[in-house]
Amino acid sequence: MTQKHKIQLFEDQKVRTVWDDELEEWFFSIVDVCGVLTEQKTSRGASTYWAVLKNRLAAEGADELLTNCKRLKMRAADGKMRYTDAADTEQMFRIIQSFAHRYHHA
């Protein structure tokens, strides 16, 4: 799998991405997107939020969504390549919809 790593900006916050040449699609760091959408101040807060949301999604039967997420190496804040949960564009939209649903009904 040939990959190209890149940092994207969303609302002036960094979102780590990886381009997969074989699949010809982008994968996004779910933790980073969680951090942006929930306005987390630290990566630890974003990671914790994703862990809680992942448990809720599993409890609600969203196993297919979670199973299709990948664990890809992306550059962490400390500069090391570490595995993180990643989603393609379609999966990321579904995750974002779950955020919107939760905030709309909160």
Side-chain angles (χ1 to χ4, degrees):
M1 177 190 305
T2 306
Q3 296 178 344
K4 185 183 340 177
H5 297 263
K6 188 172 181 179
I7 300 291
Q8 305 284 342
L9 291 179
F10 180 78
E11 296 187 3
D12 296 326
Q13 293 186 0
K14 294 178 182 179
V15 174
R16 294 169 292 165
T17 62
V18 174
W19 171 257
D20 185 313
D21 281 335
E22 290 178 21
L23 297 174
E24 296 186 343
E25 62 185 322
W26 286 102
F27 287 86
F28 304 85
S29 165
I30 298 172
V31 170
D32 293 355
V33 173
C34 283
V36 171
L37 295 176
T38 62
E39 299 176 346
Q40 297 295 317
K41 302 297 182 208
T42 65
S43 60
R44 165 82 81 205
S47 186
T48 300
Y49 191 93
W50 170 234
V52 169
L53 180 60
K54 193 167 26 172
N55 287 335
R56 286 182 187 157
L57 289 170
E60 293 170 5
D63 297 328
E64 180 185 340
L65 173 63
L66 296 172
T67 300
N68 290 332
C69 292
K70 298 185 180 308
R71 299 224 3 111
L72 299 175
K73 280 192 173 183
M74 295 185 182
R75 191 164 311 282
D78 63 5
K80 296 182 180 178
M81 297 297 284
R82 299 189 188 277
Y83 282 103
T84 188
D85 289 337
D88 65 20
T89 304
E90 182 181 337
Q91 293 162 331
M92 189 54 66
F93 281 133
R94 289 180 63 196
I95 292 168
I96 290 169
Q97 285 174 337
S98 73
F99 278 102
H101 177 76
R102 287 179 195 295
Y103 285 134
H104 180 70
H105 290 70

